[in-house]
Amino acid sequence: MPITLHLDAPARCDRLLRDTAARYEALAADLRRLADAAAPTPAELGAAPLLEDWSWSPRTALTLTGTVQDHPVLADGPIRTSAVLVHSPSQSWVRTLSRWYVLGCPAGQDAEARRG
């Protein structure tokens, strides 16, 4: 389900960002209703597509691994992020399903060489 948007051409991403936000807002509303013990309505299920011959299928999401500092929940050290949803290489940040991250040096790149 997660998608990754790369924002180095924000004008082209505007509609996609808004559409993605609307999808996640709808999902959040549905999850809140389920948490309140409200099942989908007959009208919602009546409008839903039918999936035949279905089976479970694993799906991977793009994540980052690295060494985190100042995480609000985790101790400083190695982590794997939740799914990366938005990435701005030119501004050195990502938005994961959980939070924003500022990107430092990528793996294999020396911090001194990058600054120099």
Side-chain angles (χ1 to χ4, degrees), residues 72-92:
V73 177
L74 303 173
D76 289 359
I79 66 160
R80 176 181 302 274
T81 68
S82 56
V84 175
L85 302 177
V86 183
H87 174 220
S88 178
S90 63
Q91 296 178 30
S92 297

Side-chain angles (χ1 to χ4, degrees), residues 1 21-41 44-45 48:
M1 180 175 185
R23 283 184 178 163
Y24 278 97
E25 288 163 356
L27 171 61
D30 289 344
L31 293 175
R32 282 190 289 275
R33 284 185 19 220
L34 291 171
D36 292 337
T41 66
E44 288 172 318
L45 292 178

Side-chain angles (χ1 to χ4, degrees), residues 12 27 34 46 51-52 82 115:
R12 289 186 286 148
L27 171 61
L34 291 171
L51 183 62
E52 294 279 10
S82 56
R115 278 183 245 146

Side-chain angles (χ1 to χ4, degrees), residues 105 109-116:
C105 291
Q109 188 173 11
D110 181 32
E112 292 297 320
R114 186 173 182 203
R115 278 183 245 146

